[in-house]
Amino acid sequence: MNNKILLQNLRCIKDFPVKGINFRDVTTLFKSHECLEIMLDELYEIYKDKGITKIVGIESRGFVMASALAVKLGAGVVLCRKPGKLPAETVQESYSKEYGTDTIEIHKDAINEDDVVLLHDDLLATGGTMKAAYNLVKKFNPKNIYVNFIIEITDEGLHGRDIFDKDTEITTLITE
């Protein structure tokens, strides 16, 4: 899609958090009403006919558009967070990162077999966190699972999309 206004408003910070990384800062998109509206409209057009009943927002930037889109689609929002942040009983999934492992969790009663789930986060780079979220949601046996990102990084030799099963429907609003 690569909307020109979104690309113009996306901030890229070189050598953050470490030298050689070009950090894409979506907060510049979130602070603009015009950008929020464009992203929401584009997401709505992609998912309006998919029967989405729950949108899982990945901590923390994934919460922003997940919530807005859920209102527009008439769906609920499920928070996917790091351990210890959710108050009720949870289901967890651990995954490997560059320097160790991490864990994410959602509430045990958040999703059921009748749900059609959209997983949403801000950025697809290596894909590790979203793949763990995908595996976590699969434990609930929903009818279907879709995956979406605001940005997909492809220009730095990252192939985050490749860690997902080939039949996983993955969409992005911006590809760089």
Side-chain angles (χ1 to χ4, degrees):
M1 293 185 182
N2 284 346
N3 180 286
K4 185 177 180 179
I5 294 169
L6 296 181
L7 289 169
Q8 289 171 343
N9 282 277
L10 180 64
R11 178 168 40 203
C12 183
I13 302 169
K14 295 198 181 295
D15 297 324
F16 181 84
V18 296
K19 188 167 179 60
I21 301 294
N22 294 318
F23 185 82
R24 273 51 166 217
D25 180 12
V26 296
T27 63
T28 54
L29 301 178
F30 294 159
K31 74 178 183 179
S32 163
H33 174 266
E34 182 180 23
C35 291
L36 280 170
E37 190 169 47
I38 290 167
M39 290 186 295
L40 183 57
D41 289 346
E42 287 186 6
L43 288 168
Y44 179 75
E45 286 303 313
I46 294 169
Y47 293 106
K48 67 182 180 185
D49 297 323
K50 303 282 188 183
I52 305 295
T53 59
K54 300 279 175 58
I55 302 177
V56 176
I58 311 301
E59 186 169 337
S60 65
R61 291 178 297 268
F63 297 165
V64 177
M65 294 311 298
S67 299
L69 183 59
V71 170
K72 197 159 182 172
L73 289 176
V77 174
V78 174
L79 302 182
C80 183
R81 303 209 62 192
K82 294 183 180 191
K85 304 285 186 177
L86 296 171
E89 192 174 353
T90 62
V91 177
Q92 296 185 337
E93 182 77 18
S94 293
Y95 60 102
S96 296
K97 294 174 60 171
E98 288 179 76
Y99 305 105
T101 61
D102 210 343
T103 301
I104 55 171
E105 60 186 19
I106 61 176
H107 279 134
K108 189 174 185 176
D109 61 356
I111 298 169
N112 65 55
E113 292 179 352
D114 293 326
D115 283 320
V116 176
V117 178
L118 169 61
L119 292 160
H120 173 77
D121 204 359
D122 66 325
L123 181 80
L124 173 57
T126 62
T129 303
M130 183 60 86
K131 179 63 171 161
Y134 182 85
N135 292 341
L136 181 57
V137 169
K138 279 180 77 171
K139 293 177 182 180
F140 292 90
N141 297 312
K143 287 182 181 178
N144 205 348
I145 304 171
Y146 299 95
V147 176
N148 173 263
F149 301 90
I150 295 172
I151 305 164
E152 179 177 6
I153 307 299
T154 59
D155 69 347
E156 297 173 11
L158 300 172
H159 303 283
R161 186 179 287 258
D162 295 346
I163 68 170
F164 291 88
D165 298 334
K166 296 299 177 204
D167 63 340
T168 304
E169 186 175 316
I170 300 171
T171 60
T172 60
L173 300 184
I174 299 170
T175 304
E176 283 205 313

